[in-house]
């Protein structure tokens, strides 16, 4: 296996055109909507290519999740061709062609940044990060601007050939993720490329080329400068695309996890065996299984599980320092933890509300006597809260595991059996109250004997 430590220097890029008969991509594997866009652009006299991950996945005999298109038409020219088009993005100006829920993304070929500092179409920070990138160019320049060799692949709708600019087909065969250009420069241009390297390695079961991997641990801190809203989207791609557990482990290996979840740092151990780390492994494995089985997943559940042990610790600290009841301290801590986390990953409010519901139900699930069990079962977020309780039981055992088993039995039971289960709890609760009253009942005092002088 070719795992040499070289990168593909931009000056070394050599175009290889692979004719239709020598590659395995068929139009029947490309979405009908993507073909419509490709054909209309081509018919209007523009160059039109399926590009990047769509081509890569088709060559690997995988079904692409998205079909992205590159063209020499500007975003405004694309919009004139498609009534169902909207232009998005300021940092990267793109055209989105809407077919109901299906969105075909069309990007204009990117060119090289000019030396003109007054050019408002492109700008960089002092650290080299691209703040705006709307310099348009040719397909050759666009290929040089791509991040990884396996993404510098273009399927030409005009003659059905594949244009390979950076040896991407060879790297696909050798299962190597390799950056185009100098790694440190490319990472400084866009630190999210470090996350993408890890994501592709986990998703495609490939090795990151040595030179590509080497600068990552030292540059991981650059992710702290990425907008929190963008990192939220990246976190979903990393952890909820079906390879979350492998991706998480690679993120830890390359120091990339801490910039995303700094609040978890103090809960990590050298051997990765803390309760917090066990929960991370458990929830990400569960998420991967659900994706594999085409079951619904919700980011709120994942974040609730990931942040649970920092929440518990914070609640105990607040209760001890302030004298608040544990419940009140818990609610204050929940707000604190979420406020801290959204600084690095901007979890939307619709998810933070559900996270709070799942957390709050953890305190209520132990209260089952009377009609409480029935009412809890009717709660909107009960199922998510129960699934999380079950995970906590697997990690901590003891009473938590017994509680999870009780709720599992209660859900499966018929009406009469549920009634019997609650009656057992009611009797136990009544007995406990009786014992408590007996302990606290004051001793009865014997009446004083009457004095002989009293009448």
């Amino acid at each position: 296996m070719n795992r040499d430590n070289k990168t593909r220097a931009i000056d070394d890029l050599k175009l290889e055109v692979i004719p239709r008969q020598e590659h395995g991509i068929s139009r029947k594997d490309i979405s009908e909507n993507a073909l419509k866009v490709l054909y209309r652009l081509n018919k209007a006299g523009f160059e039109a290519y399926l590009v990047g991950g769509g081509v890569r996945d088709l060559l690997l005999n995988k079904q692409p999740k998205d079909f992205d298109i590159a063209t020499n038409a500007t975003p405004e020219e694309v919009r004139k061709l498609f009534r169902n088009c909207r232009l998005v993005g300021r940092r990267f100006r793109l055209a989105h062609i809407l077919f109901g829920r299906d969105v075909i993304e069309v990007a204009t070929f990117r060119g090289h940044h000019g030396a003109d500092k007054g050019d408002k179409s492109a700008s960089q920070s002092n650290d080299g990060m691209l703040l705006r990138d709307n310099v348009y160019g040719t397909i050759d320049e666009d290929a040089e601007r791509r991040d990884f060799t396996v993404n510098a692949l273009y399927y030409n709708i005009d003659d059905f050939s594949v244009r390979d600019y950076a040896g991407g087909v060879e790297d696909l065969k050798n299962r190597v993720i390799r950056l185009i250009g100098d790694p440190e420069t490319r990472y400084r241009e866009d630190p999210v490329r470090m996350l993408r390297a890890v994501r592709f390695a986990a998703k495609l079961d490939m090795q990151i080329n040595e030179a590509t991997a080497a600068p990552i641990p030292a540059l991981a801190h650059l992710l702290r400068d990425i907008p929190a809203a963008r990192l939220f989207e990246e976190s979903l791609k990393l952890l909820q695309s079906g390879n979350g557990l492998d991706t998480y482990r690679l993120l830890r290996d390359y120091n990339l996890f801490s910039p995303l979840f700094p609040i978890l740092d103090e809960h990590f151990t050298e051997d990765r065996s803390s309760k917090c780390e066990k929960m991370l492994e458990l929830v990400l494995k569960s998420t991967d299984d659900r994706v594999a089985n085409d079951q619904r997943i919700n980011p709120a559940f994942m974040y609730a599980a990931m942040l649970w042990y920092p929440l518990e610790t914070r609640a105990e600290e607040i209760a001890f320092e302030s004298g608040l009841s544990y419940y009140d301290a818990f609610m204050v801590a929940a707000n604190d933890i979420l406020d801290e986390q959204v600084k690095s990953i901007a979890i939307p409010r619709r998810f933070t509300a559900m996270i709070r519901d799942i957390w709050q139900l953890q305190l209520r699930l132990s209260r089952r006597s009377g009609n409480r069990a029935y009412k809890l079962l009717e709660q909107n977020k009960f199922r998510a809260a129960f699934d999380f309780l079950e995970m906590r039981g697997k990690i901590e055992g003891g009473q938590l595991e017994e509680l999870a088993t009780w709720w599992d039995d209660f859900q499966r039971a018929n009406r009469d059996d549920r009634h019997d289960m609650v009656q057992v709890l009611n009797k136990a609760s009544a007995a406990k109250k009786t014992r408590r009253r007996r302990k606290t009942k004051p001793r009865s005092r014997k009446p004083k004997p009457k004095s002989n002088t009293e009448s």
Side-chain angles (χ1 to χ4, degrees), residues 16-222:
E16 180 184 359
V17 178
I18 305 167
R20 170 67 191 91
Q21 61 272 21
E22 293 181 20
H23 65 75
I25 296 178
S26 170
R27 276 169 290 170
K28 72 175 187 295
D29 297 322
I30 301 172
S31 91
E32 186 179 335
N33 293 328
L35 288 172
K36 285 179 185 176
V37 175
L38 288 166
Y39 282 132
R40 187 177 298 183
L41 285 166
N42 185 254
K43 188 176 179 181
F46 296 108
E47 295 177 61
Y49 298 86
L50 189 68
V51 67
V55 183
R56 179 198 68 218
D57 290 349
L58 288 171
L59 288 171
L60 290 171
N61 296 315
K62 294 176 178 285
Q63 181 59 39
K65 186 177 180 183
D66 301 303
F67 291 93
D68 296 335
I69 290 170
T71 179
N72 60 344
T74 65
E76 289 72 21
E77 287 171 329
V78 174
R79 183 164 58 180
K80 287 179 182 178
L81 285 175
F82 298 91
R83 287 189 301 174
N84 53 333
C85 172
R86 68 177 181 187
L87 302 186
V88 299
R90 291 186 349 190
R91 184 171 174 269
F92 294 107
R93 195 71 166 157
L94 299 166
H96 280 179
I97 316 296
L98 311 177
F99 298 89
R101 292 188 177 182
D102 188 18
V103 179
I104 304 299
E105 187 172 277
V106 181
T108 306
F109 297 145
R110 275 354 190 236
H112 296 302
H113 304 135
D116 182 8
K117 297 294 182 183
D119 183 4
K120 294 183 179 180
S121 57
S123 64
Q124 288 180 277
S125 71
N126 293 332
D127 291 328
M129 188 188 303
L130 287 173
L131 304 176
R132 189 178 296 108
D133 184 15
N134 290 310
V135 178
Y136 303 132
T138 65
I139 185 174
D140 300 68
E141 291 172 320
D142 190 76
E144 292 173 358
R145 296 286 315 282
R146 296 271 156 184
D147 48 11
F148 303 102
T149 61
V150 296
N151 289 338
L153 299 166
Y154 297 73
Y155 175 78
N156 188 355
I157 198 63
D158 194 40
D159 62 6
F160 315 124
S161 65
V162 170
R163 298 168 72 94
D164 179 2
Y165 282 87
V169 171
E170 180 189 358
D171 280 347
L172 281 180
K173 290 177 182 174
N174 294 325
R175 310 198 71 75
V176 173
I177 300 296
R178 188 193 309 266
L179 263 175
I180 297 171
D182 174 64
E184 182 166 344
T185 302
R186 302 308 306 277
Y187 290 143
R188 287 189 180 278
E189 284 178 351
D190 185 0
V192 169
R193 286 176 179 145
M194 294 183 283
L195 299 179
R196 285 167 61 82
V198 165
R199 177 159 64 87
F200 291 143
K203 174 186 175 181
L204 304 173
D205 190 23
M206 293 185 176
Q207 297 288 325
I208 302 177
N209 158 264
E210 276 185 44
T212 297
I216 293 177
L219 297 178
H221 66 92
L222 294 175

Side-chain angles (χ1 to χ4, degrees), residues 365-368 382 386 388-411 421 425 432:
L365 285 171
S366 59
R367 302 168 189 170
R368 299 157 288 163
F382 170 80
F386 165 73
F388 181 41
L389 174 68
E390 212 168 26
M391 287 184 179
R392 292 174 59 211
K394 287 177 182 177
I395 291 169
E396 300 183 41
Q399 291 183 340
L400 269 181
E401 195 168 21
E402 291 173 11
L403 181 61
T405 300
W406 188 94
W407 275 111
D408 189 40
D409 292 341
F410 190 72
Q411 292 174 80
M421 291 175 72
L425 291 175
K432 193 181 292 184

Side-chain angles (χ1 to χ4, degrees), residues 326-338:
Y326 183 76
Y327 180 85
D328 289 340
F330 183 91
M331 299 313 292
V332 172
N335 290 332
D336 284 356
I337 294 295
L338 288 173

